[in-house]
Amino acid sequence: MNRYTWRTAVLEAAMVAAALVFAFPVYVLVSLSLRQPGDQSSPIALSTPTLANYGDAWRQAGLGSALLTSTLITVGSVVLVVVLSAMAAYPLARSTRTWSKAAFGLFMLGLLLPFQLALIPLYQSMRDLGLLGNPLALVVFYTGLQTPFSVFLYTGFLRALDPAYEEAALIDGCGPLRAFFSVVLPLLRPITGTVVILNAIFVWNDFLTPLLYLSGTGQQTVPVALFGFVGQYVSQWPMVFAGLVIGTAPMLLGYFALRKRVIQGFAGGLKG
């Protein structure tokens, strides 16, 4: 029988303290976003709340169109990354030939080289393709940038996965492609949750690439819209913080919805 000891109590107290430390900045952010204009009281103090800041921030920063643009870019990039990375990781994890190790090494090389080294050539390539100012340029960019990391996660998970499942499907008459989509891909749901949330957070929060590729157009992502908003309305801090809450809320909700799969994916990868 498990007994509640003083060590358990200390561990629980430490976890509660860590949770409070991480939750405190969120509390301050929300508190400041609900302040009345001109309120100079402490960020910790509870003041008379108002939701007018959220409506003003939504209209004046153009967050509606920015959220739509960010959502389209994030969803398109993440879907392509998941499909391509899973299909690339499957033969890398199952094959024991020399080419498999060499190909996996090339993918890992993509983790070591910073994308800033190719920033100018990539910009010129997008310009030559006529994709500057088009969200499709960002989808292509993020798909190529995040595929090596996602292949690394999928490969580690697949190596820990029993190959008997797809072998049984092959014996029953499934081809390799059908066995992958019908048997293997559903078993990858834990690591897929990890890949989705990590890539979505990166794409959603990226600032430099949308600033370069969408500059001068009416299509801006949330970080770029908030950056311009802060510069224009720097004296109206409650409105600025309200915009920050609106911009971060989708990713927080997505993370809480997929947190169990994120933990399962990391645990499976570590076992592999």
Side-chain angles (χ1 to χ4, degrees), residues 22-261:
F22 284 100
F24 179 73
V26 179
Y27 163 76
V28 172
L29 177 63
V30 175
S31 175
L32 291 175
S33 71
L34 297 173
R35 294 291 178 90
Q36 298 283 352
D39 190 345
Q40 301 297 325
S41 59
S42 171
I44 304 177
L46 295 176
S47 302
T48 304
T50 177
L51 295 176
N53 297 322
Y54 287 87
D56 295 339
W58 182 273
R59 291 189 299 271
Q60 298 183 28
L63 290 179
S65 60
L67 284 171
L68 179 60
T69 302
S70 289
T71 300
L72 292 176
I73 293 173
T74 302
V75 171
S77 302
V78 170
V79 169
L80 286 176
V81 166
V82 167
V83 174
L84 296 178
S85 300
M87 294 183 68
Y90 181 58
L92 294 177
R94 290 293 183 252
S95 178
T96 57
R97 297 180 180 179
T98 305
W99 69 264
S100 176
K101 297 180 180 179
F104 184 73
L106 288 176
F107 277 109
M108 295 306 98
L109 187 62
L111 293 175
L112 300 178
L113 298 177
F115 78 93
Q116 289 84 355
L117 293 177
L119 196 60
I120 295 178
L122 285 173
Y123 183 86
Q124 293 173 340
S125 298
M126 295 298 178
R127 180 197 60 194
D128 296 339
L129 292 172
L131 294 178
L132 289 182
N134 191 333
L136 181 60
L138 294 175
V139 174
V140 174
F141 175 85
Y142 290 129
T143 301
L145 181 65
Q146 295 300 106
T147 294
F149 175 66
S150 303
V151 167
F152 171 74
L153 293 178
Y154 273 118
T155 302
F157 191 88
L158 280 165
R159 286 173 177 170
L161 192 66
D162 190 353
Y165 297 104
E166 59 259 34
E167 290 174 357
L170 294 174
I171 292 174
D172 289 339
C174 287
L177 196 61
R178 183 178 178 185
F180 172 77
F181 282 103
S182 300
V183 178
V184 178
L185 194 58
L187 295 175
L188 298 179
R189 282 181 294 180
I191 192 62
T192 298
T194 304
V195 170
V196 166
I197 194 63
L198 292 181
N199 284 288
I201 290 174
F202 174 82
V203 174
W204 186 274
N205 293 330
D206 187 30
F207 172 77
L208 177 61
T209 310
L211 181 65
L212 291 176
Y213 289 174
L214 300 180
S215 180
T217 68
Q219 296 178 309
Q220 298 294 341
T221 59
V222 171
V224 177
L226 290 176
F227 175 74
F229 180 64
V230 170
Q232 185 177 4
Y233 299 97
V234 67
S235 61
Q236 303 181 38
W237 286 111
M239 196 185 305
V240 172
F241 287 116
L244 291 174
V245 172
I246 295 174
T248 57
M251 284 299 99
L252 285 176
L253 295 176
Y255 175 77
F256 286 128
L258 296 174
R259 65 186 185 278
K260 291 184 179 180
R261 297 198 182 278

